[in-house]
Amino acid sequence: MTQYLPEVEAIAREAGALLMGYFAGHVTIEYKGDVDLVTEADRASEKLIVERLRVRWPEHGVVGEEGARSGPGADYRWYVDPLDGTTNFAHGYPVFCISIALARKDEQLEAGVLYDPTRDEMFSAERGQGATLNGRPIHVSKTKKLAESILGTGFPSHKRHKNPNIHFYHQITLRSHGVRRAGSAALDLANVACGRYDGFWEFNLNPWDTAAGALLVQEAGGRVTRFDGSPFRLDSREVLATNGVIHQELITNFEEIFAGRGLEPLPSPVEYAKSRS
Ligand code: IPD
Ligand code: CA
Ligand code: CA
């Protein structure tokens, strides 16, 4: 018996309907940073979710991306991303979701719900009970080698000039079937959980991006760590999630890339331009 899922799924579904209402019309975009966008839909969705959680579980704390904070010392805390994939949403690109997760004070993840309203896909997991997509059990892929894998990644919106991920993107693209950059880290993790991706990594994520997705991957039989294989924590920032089978191979590849060993240099646009003339 799941303790939280039916009620959290209902809240996520309600927030999803609200987001789709905004998605059909025009949304006003504001900037929280350089290219860190927020819209009225993010705020309305967070308000709805947090109100519902506080009524149902008044003893629990809440951390929402758009500023909701309560119960810092509570035994349980909800992590809420009311709209993951805001840039996609603001441009009318239908790849975004709602992510809600419950963690104990010691960071053990208890439950996670991730809802994609554009495809009406509800991903859910509760600790020790497996993961589901629209009520059906899901499992990570069985792909054995990085060379036969498809993966996802994302690029940070803060301090993006200082981030080295383009090198990882380049190298892993050359060493696999390809790397997708879909724009919703939470959905990327759900895609690992249900086997659409064999792996996913990203630098600089927040607990509201990763909490639900990390539990989904673990409950679907996959592995979630930091880039060096050390345990993933909610405040880890970096996340490496895979089907488990290719995990060590990816860690080894990351070590090589971080060490700058055997890298094919990025092709020069200047040389390319010369070759065209
Ligand atoms: C962002 C998305 C994106 C990831 C960014 C996140 P937001 O979340 O998950 O895929 O690359 O790092 O900040 O701002 O759309 O909730
Ligand atoms: Ca997010
Ligand atoms: Ca968000």
Side-chain angles (χ1 to χ4, degrees):
M1 259 299 275
T2 57
Q3 202 182 339
Y4 301 101
L5 296 184
E7 287 166 279
V8 185
E9 286 172 3
I11 295 171
R13 217 177 270 288
E14 206 184 332
L18 182 140
L19 288 184
M20 290 310 279
Y22 281 100
F23 194 58
H26 173 78
V27 283
T28 313
I29 301 171
E30 289 168 46
Y31 288 86
K32 292 194 278 188
D34 205 5
V35 283
D36 191 3
L37 276 52
V38 62
T39 71
E40 54 205 304
D42 298 65
R43 296 201 176 102
S45 174
E46 179 156 309
K47 184 167 178 293
L48 183 153
I49 295 166
V50 169
E51 272 173 15
R52 302 284 185 275
L53 293 175
R54 282 185 180 146
V55 167
R56 177 59 186 85
W57 291 285
E59 69 281 18
H60 292 177
V62 175
V63 177
E65 176 174 11
E66 304 314 331
R69 296 287 182 278
S70 59
D75 288 340
Y76 290 87
R77 186 182 287 175
W78 293 96
Y79 290 92
V80 178
D81 193 333
L83 168 45
D84 186 60
T86 298
T87 305
N88 289 343
F89 182 92
H91 287 271
Y93 183 63
V95 179
F96 55 87
C97 70
I98 291 141
S99 175
I100 307 174
L102 180 66
R104 261 177 13 191
K105 206 186 204 168
D106 64 1
E107 291 204 354
Q108 172 153 279
L109 290 162
E110 291 292 330
V113 163
L114 207 149
Y115 182 54
D116 170 357
T118 72
R119 298 163 64 93
D120 189 22
E121 289 192 335
M122 181 73 73
F123 296 88
S124 314
E126 204 158 312
R127 186 169 59 87
Q129 309 209 27
T132 59
L133 165 52
N134 289 344
R136 296 214 173 101
I138 50 171
H139 303 282
V140 292
S141 72
K142 293 186 167 63
T143 308
K144 290 193 176 60
K145 295 180 193 161
L146 177 59
E148 293 166 6
S149 296
I150 183 165
L151 303 102
T153 190
F155 292 84
S157 48
H158 286 279
K159 299 190 182 163
R160 54 187 172 149
H161 302 286
K162 296 197 185 295
N163 191 270
N165 198 31
I166 196 70
H167 296 281
F168 290 79
Y169 181 75
H170 179 223
Q171 289 302 317
I172 303 296
T173 296
L174 296 178
R175 300 172 193 198
S176 68
H177 279 180
V179 180
R180 302 290 175 260
R181 191 274 197 248
S184 165
L187 267 183
D188 289 332
L189 286 163
N191 283 330
V192 175
C194 70
R196 292 175 186 157
Y197 282 166
D198 305 302
F200 164 74
W201 79 91
E202 190 162 342
F203 294 72
N204 291 339
L205 290 173
N206 288 296
W208 46 78
D209 301 309
T210 51
L215 184 65
L216 279 164
V217 172
Q218 288 161 353
E219 288 295 323
R223 202 170 153 204
V224 186
T225 66
R226 291 165 51 89
F227 295 158
D228 61 2
S230 61
F232 169 77
R233 291 167 42 93
L234 285 178
D235 60 0
S236 287
R237 309 287 295 165
E238 64 186 41
V239 61
L240 175 64
T242 72
N243 64 1
V245 190
I246 63 161
H247 208 84
Q248 188 51 53
E249 195 185 355
L250 214 44
I251 290 171
T252 306
N253 275 268
F254 269 52
E255 276 168 11
E256 265 179 44
I257 300 167
F258 273 123
R261 281 198 303 272
L263 306 187
E264 289 185 45
L266 283 160
S268 156
V270 178
E271 293 305 319
Y272 184 80
K274 276 189 207 155
S275 74
R276 288 162 68 221
S277 52

